[in-house]
């Protein structure tokens, strides 16, 4: 199974001392203690849904990563929007169905990697992707080594797999960066590196958004950090509120559950932690709202925000960004 640059501060594997290291496989989850759930998110759920379904999902999403989610609770959660089931992968959802999302449903999907399928994708999955979801392109956001070790399977007729070779062979984690607070420093550094290392892949996803080549799906390994950064950019361009973006991350904890034990094992290996009690490991595997906010602050200082990154670093014009927004958003 491939390792993932999802976990930790991305470092250039070109440095000799890291060139032979196995990369980490996971980045993290969003876990807010229930009593600390932001009032604004609670309000959003009550207003948008007026049903207990999303409230129950939100509560379930706060399960600590070290603790398994009981199957009796997991199955109904994963069968509820915005989640959907695609054999061979996990953590799949329609970001247009996130409560409060302004994005048209059925055009942008995110998921974990397809490594659970092995080299061949089940025929049922091909049918779902091509005929039910009508996916046109699947974007692979993984590193060189991950891609080489476990290339995406053939998705079937009519679906193009897209992988843009990043500027980095591999990734590793420095647990020391995650020790203080809730790991904000480590996450800000890690996500800023995602913007640099994977800018080619991010641009390709946004080109599809600009050109209206929908529906599309993008993934990394756990469907957490690189995928989360891209989802955050797209949600930001659509005009989504910060609470909607945070909620999208919270739901990731549920979607990750089918591969939780495997990904934690790879996180231990990739971070060189002796055990799950190693300083910084708890912060590494539990993504918090404060960590996302630390990243946004860093992006604001460096680029003028995520939209500034899209225009300045990726080189999209005002007109192109405006077209992206029009293609994404449901207009009354």
């Amino acid at each position: 199974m491939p390792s993932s640059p999802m976990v930790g501060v991305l470092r250039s594997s070109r440095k000799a001392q890291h060139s032979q290291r196995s990369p980490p496989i996971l980045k993290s989850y969003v876990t807010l203690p229930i009593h600390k759930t932001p009032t604004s998110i609670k309000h959003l759920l009550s207003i948008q849904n007026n049903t207990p379904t999303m409230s129950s999902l939100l509560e379930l999403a706060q399960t600590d990563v070290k603790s398994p989610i009981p199957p009796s609770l997991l199955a109904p959660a994963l069968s509820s929007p915005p989640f959907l089931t695609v054999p061979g992968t996990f953590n799949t959802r329609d970001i247009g169905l996130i409560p409060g999302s302004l994005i048209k449903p059925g055009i942008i999907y995110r998921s974990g990697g397809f490594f659970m399928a092995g080299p061949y994708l089940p025929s049922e999955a091909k049918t779902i992707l091509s005929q039910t979801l009508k996916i046109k392109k699947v974007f692979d956001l993984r590193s060189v080594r991950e891609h080489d070790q476990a290339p995406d399977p053939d998705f079937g007729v009519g679906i193009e797999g897209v992988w843009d070779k990043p500027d980095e062979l591999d990734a590793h984690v420095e647990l020391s960066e995650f020790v203080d607070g809730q790991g904000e420093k480590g996450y800000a550094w890690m996500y800023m590196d995602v913007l640099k290392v994977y800018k080619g892949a991010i641009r390709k996803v946004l080109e599809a958004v600009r050109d209206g080549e929908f529906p599309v799906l993008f993934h990394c390994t756990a469907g957490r950090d690189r995928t989360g950064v891209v989802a955050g950019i797209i949600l930001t361009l659509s005009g989504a509120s910060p609470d909607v973006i945070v909620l999208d991350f919270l739901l990731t904890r549920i979607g990750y559950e089918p591969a939780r034990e495997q990904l934690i094992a790879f996180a231990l290996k990739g971070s060189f932690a002796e055990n799950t009690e190693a300083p910084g490991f708890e912060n590494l595997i539990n993504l918090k709202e404060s960590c996302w906010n630390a990243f946004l602050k860093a992006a604001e200082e460096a680029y003028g925000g995520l939209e500034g990154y899209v225009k300045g670093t990726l080189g999209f014009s005002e007109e192109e960004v405006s077209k992206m927004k029009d293609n994404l958003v449901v207009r009354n």
Side-chain angles (χ1 to χ4, degrees):
M1 185 174 303
S3 57
S4 163
M6 280 195 147
V7 181
V9 180
L10 295 170
R11 300 287 197 189
S12 173
S13 61
R14 289 172 289 195
K15 295 181 180 180
Q17 63 266 38
H18 299 309
S19 60
Q20 301 301 316
R21 291 186 177 184
S22 298
I25 187 123
L26 138 85
K27 274 182 177 175
S28 49
Y29 301 93
V30 189
T31 51
L32 266 69
I34 293 174
H35 66 281
K36 291 185 179 179
T37 300
T39 301
S40 54
I41 291 181
K42 290 181 179 178
H43 179 69
L44 174 67
L45 292 174
S46 64
I47 293 298
Q48 295 293 331
N49 293 282
N50 199 28
T51 70
T53 303
M54 287 307 300
S55 297
S56 299
L57 289 175
L58 178 61
E59 182 176 347
L60 193 61
Q62 294 162 43
T63 305
D64 188 278
V65 176
K66 293 181 182 178
S67 302
I69 296 176
S72 61
L73 298 178
L74 181 64
L78 292 181
S79 62
S80 302
F83 291 102
L84 59 150
T85 300
V86 178
T89 189
F90 58 99
N91 196 15
T92 308
R93 57 189 186 267
D94 181 341
I95 65 175
L97 292 178
I98 302 295
S101 176
L102 302 176
I103 294 174
K104 302 170 188 174
I107 65 170
I108 305 283
Y109 298 92
R110 56 177 291 177
S111 77
F114 287 83
F115 57 82
M116 298 176 74
Y120 303 105
L121 194 65
S123 59
E124 181 185 358
K126 291 184 178 181
T127 299
I128 291 173
L129 291 172
S130 65
Q131 298 181 26
T132 304
L133 303 182
K134 303 185 184 303
I135 300 295
K136 292 183 179 179
K137 292 185 176 182
V138 175
F139 294 91
D140 182 350
L141 306 175
R142 296 176 300 158
S143 70
V144 174
R145 183 164 293 172
E146 289 172 289
H147 178 79
D148 289 349
Q149 290 179 344
D152 272 353
D154 174 25
F155 294 109
V157 178
I159 300 179
E160 178 186 356
V162 181
W163 177 70
D164 187 88
K165 185 176 180 180
D167 295 333
E168 193 169 60
L169 173 65
D170 231 333
H172 79 283
V173 66
E174 293 287 350
L175 273 182
S176 61
E177 301 291 343
F178 293 83
V179 173
D180 294 337
Q182 295 184 319
E184 291 87 351
K185 179 181 177 182
Y187 280 105
W189 189 358
M190 175 170 64
Y191 286 177
M192 289 297 286
D193 220 23
V194 168
L195 294 181
K196 297 173 184 176
V197 173
Y198 294 91
K199 63 182 180 181
I202 297 171
R203 181 177 173 84
K204 285 190 178 297
V205 174
L206 294 182
E207 286 174 346
V209 173
R210 177 199 62 195
D211 298 337
E213 296 179 324
F214 301 132
V216 299
L217 180 149
F218 53 89
H219 75 88
C220 48
T221 293
R224 182 90 26 179
D225 299 293
R226 289 162 293 183
T227 297
V229 167
V230 174
I233 291 172
I234 293 174
L235 284 165
T236 297
L237 292 177
S238 75
S241 71
D243 288 333
V244 170
I245 300 173
V246 169
L247 179 59
D248 183 42
F249 273 93
L250 285 167
L251 294 180
T252 293
R253 169 62 186 96
I254 300 172
Y256 167 96
E257 182 64 23
R260 183 183 63 86
E261 292 186 3
Q262 296 145 296
L263 295 174
I264 289 178
F266 274 97
L268 283 167
K269 180 179 180 181
S271 65
F272 305 100
E274 293 183 2
N275 53 55
T276 58
E277 303 304 317
F281 193 79
E282 184 79 16
N283 285 336
L284 176 63
I285 62 172
N286 285 286
L287 183 62
K288 289 93 173 175
E289 182 181 8
S290 64
C291 298
W292 177 259
N293 289 338
F295 161 56
L296 291 184
K297 181 179 179 181
E300 182 68 33
E301 293 174 352
Y303 306 112
L306 293 181
E307 185 168 331
Y309 164 78
V310 171
K311 294 175 182 177
T313 300
L314 299 186
F316 288 103
S317 67
E318 290 278 358
E319 182 180 356
E320 288 176 304
V321 172
S322 179
K323 190 173 182 180
M324 291 180 203
K325 294 178 180 181
D326 286 341
N327 288 341
L328 287 170
V329 177
V330 177
R331 300 297 183 186
N332 294 326

